[in-house]
């Protein structure tokens, strides 16, 4: 990555930006994003994260107290219990220095039933896993794409990727803690086809899937600004038929639905902008990707594209281009 702005997010709204804060897609799952960095540079990364990124311009870290406060507001607004706080991020959650306190704060929230997180597993160790368990973490979704060390390094785009350590962490979670483990490989056709059955066997042998499914196999989906490896395209039909075939062979659930995780639709936090609406915003900082700036209006943060020349602190009119799931992109 070329020079990157390191930005501590404090005193700006935590709703509206894909790269940090809280995302509410109108279900009982609130996505919590405390940090945006990642130590890997996976060849398939949908967010172009990590040291090899060509587009990322800023790395964000969110103030813990503000994050917990915003979470409490969103959780109470939904007027339900049974919320899942899902720490996912556009990078690697374990890079957040106050991860244990974050898990603790979320699990102590009276609306929360489940605290889960995604990780590539590289930054975990037994001591940290024990602390996360004591803090109330319910499930870890760990992405592992291959059990072959060389292929795993190539896919991670990082020579220092240590598959042995990742496997050790996965086994420790499944066998020594109450935290459930879900192995979540991305199937890259033509690259890791032979690894998928091996990963299913590994997950089952290790003891993943104590309360939730043991595996969450994902089909690779190219993203406009993500990295795209040279893979053979695969239809959804073939993808699901292979999963069903493996379900028969391994006697485990592989075709998943939101119900498998106890997810349901509920009241969404207010959406404050309409598409194509003209809005006066205040530019408050550098954007996540090159050419972008962060702006604030109506208690939300907005990503303004093509904004290189707009100085921070300036008030400008923008047009809302995208308003899906309370994530706002303007021009
Ligand atoms: S671990 Fe995830 S966020 Fe990091 S580079 Fe790989 S795919 Fe991207």
């Amino acid at each position: 990555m070329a020079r990157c702005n390191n930005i501590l997010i404090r005193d700006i709204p935590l709703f509206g930006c894909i790269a940090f804060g809280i995302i509410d897609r109108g279900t009982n799952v609130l996505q919590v994003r405390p940090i945006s960095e990642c130590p890997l540079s996976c060849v398939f990364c949908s967010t172009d994260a990590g040291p090899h990124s060509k587009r990322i311009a800023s790395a964000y870290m969110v103030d813990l107290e503000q994050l917990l406060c915003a979470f409490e507001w969103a959780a109470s607004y939904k007027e339900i219990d049974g919320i899942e706080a899902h720490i996912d991020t556009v990078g690697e959650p374990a890079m957040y220095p106050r991860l244990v306190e974050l898990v603790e704060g979320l699990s102590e929230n009276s609306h929360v039933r489940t605290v889960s997180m995604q990780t590539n597993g590289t930054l975990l160790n037994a001591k940290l896993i024990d602390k996360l368990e004591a803090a109330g973490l319910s499930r870890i979704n760990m992405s592992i794409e291959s059990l072959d060390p060389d292929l795993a390094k190539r896919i991670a785009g990082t020579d220092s990727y240590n598959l042995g350590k990742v496997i050790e962490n996965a086994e420790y979670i499944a066998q020594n803690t109450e935290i459930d483990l879900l192995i979540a490989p991305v199937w890259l056709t033509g690259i890791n086809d032979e690894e998928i059955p091996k990963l299913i066997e590994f997950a089952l042998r290790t003891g993943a899937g104590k309360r939730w499914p043991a595996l969450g196999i994902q089909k690779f989906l190219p993203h406009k600004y993500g990295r795209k490896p040279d893979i053979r395209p695969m239809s959804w039909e073939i993808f699901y038929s292979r999963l069903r075939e493996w379900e028969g062979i391994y006697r485990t659930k592989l075709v998943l639905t939101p119900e498998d995780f106890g997810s349901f639709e509920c009241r969404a936090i207010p959406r404050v902008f309409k598409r194509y609406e003209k809005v006066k915003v205040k530019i408050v900082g550098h954007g996540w990707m090159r050419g972008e700036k962060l702006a604030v209006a109506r208690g939300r943060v907005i990503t303004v594209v093509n904004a290189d020349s707009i100085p921070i602190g300036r008030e400008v009119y923008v047009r809302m281009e995208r308003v899906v799931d309370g994530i706002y992109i303007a021009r």
Side-chain angles (χ1 to χ4, degrees), residues 36-51 88-93 118-122 143 145 155-156 158 186 227:
S36 66
E37 284 175 278
C38 185
L40 305 185
S41 294
C42 300
V43 294
F44 61 89
C45 182
S46 63
T47 60
D48 186 27
D88 63 352
T89 86
V90 291
E92 168 52 43
Q118 293 192 5
T119 179
N120 57 41
T122 55
S143 56
E145 273 63 46
I155 294 174
T158 311
V186 176
R227 288 192 282 268

Side-chain angles (χ1 to χ4, degrees), residues 50 138 273 324:
S138 329
F273 302 112
V324 180

Side-chain angles (χ1 to χ4, degrees), residues 39-307:
L40 305 185
S41 294
C42 300
V43 294
F44 61 89
C45 182
S46 63
T47 60
D48 186 27
H52 295 172
S53 177
K54 292 200 168 68
R55 294 193 70 248
I56 289 177
S58 302
Y60 300 111
M61 179 153 76
V62 183
D63 175 71
L64 176 68
E65 282 68 33
Q66 198 193 343
L67 187 56
L68 288 174
C69 196
F71 182 88
E72 166 56 26
W73 176 80
S76 340
Y77 187 87
K78 289 184 165 284
E79 294 180 338
I80 52 159
D81 292 328
I83 286 185
E84 174 168 345
H86 183 58
I87 307 167
D88 63 352
T89 86
V90 291
E92 168 52 43
M95 288 201 77
Y96 191 52
R98 300 184 72 185
L99 178 65
V100 174
E101 290 158 278
L102 173 62
V103 169
E104 195 168 35
L106 294 171
S107 74
E108 280 170 0
N109 187 297
S110 60
H111 308 282
V112 169
R113 181 180 55 198
T114 303
V115 182
S116 56
M117 73 175 256
Q118 293 192 5
T119 179
N120 57 41
T122 55
L123 301 176
L124 300 181
N125 54 59
K127 203 167 148 198
L128 176 57
I129 295 165
D130 286 344
K131 283 187 188 168
L132 291 169
E133 180 188 28
L137 188 63
S138 329
R139 189 182 73 244
I140 287 180
N141 297 358
M142 191 181 285
S143 56
I144 308 179
E145 273 63 46
S146 170
L147 289 176
D148 173 87
D150 292 330
L151 181 57
K153 272 185 199 213
R154 262 185 283 138
I155 294 174
T158 311
D159 233 24
S160 59
Y161 179 83
N162 185 343
L163 177 66
K165 188 177 166 202
V166 172
I167 290 175
E168 210 173 278
N169 287 331
E171 289 173 341
Y172 188 83
I173 294 160
Q175 293 162 12
N176 295 285
T177 74
E178 293 294 312
I179 304 171
D180 203 359
L181 177 70
L182 178 145
I183 301 290
V186 176
W187 183 359
L188 306 157
T189 38
I191 297 178
N192 68 346
D193 309 69
E194 284 163 22
E195 298 301 307
I196 303 296
K198 291 182 197 163
L199 285 161
I200 299 172
E201 286 165 21
F202 168 74
L204 299 178
R205 187 172 68 236
T206 304
K210 292 189 263 254
R211 288 170 60 195
W212 291 280
L215 288 125
I217 300 168
Q218 301 160 67
K219 180 177 173 327
F220 169 75
L221 295 174
H223 285 258
K224 193 173 170 191
Y225 299 120
R227 288 192 282 268
K228 299 167 197 72
D230 190 15
I231 66 159
R232 276 201 321 266
M234 173 175 48
S235 67
W236 283 107
E237 213 184 338
I238 292 178
F239 176 71
Y240 283 119
S241 82
R242 283 314 300 275
L243 293 193
R244 282 195 202 93
E245 216 174 285
W246 283 323
E247 280 187 333
I249 296 171
Y250 295 108
R251 308 235 163 270
T252 192
K253 201 163 188 342
L254 299 174
V255 178
L256 307 183
T257 62
E259 292 76 41
D260 292 322
F261 296 91
S263 304
F264 55 88
E265 287 185 11
C266 64
R267 188 183 190 208
I269 62 164
R271 308 313 196 203
V272 299
F273 302 112
K274 291 202 174 62
R275 195 169 184 209
Y276 301 137
E277 187 182 349
K278 203 173 168 194
V279 184
K280 191 178 187 185
V281 302
K282 182 169 186 190
I283 303 291
V284 295
H286 295 284
W288 179 39
M289 298 285 181
R290 298 194 185 290
E292 296 175 352
K293 288 269 165 53
L294 295 182
V296 168
R298 298 181 199 162
R300 297 289 185 272
V301 63
I302 301 140
T303 297
V304 184
V305 299
N306 291 348

Side-chain angles (χ1 to χ4, degrees), residues 304-315:
V304 184
V305 299
N306 291 348
D308 254 345
S309 59
I310 313 175
I312 292 169
R314 174 83 53 89
E315 289 196 325

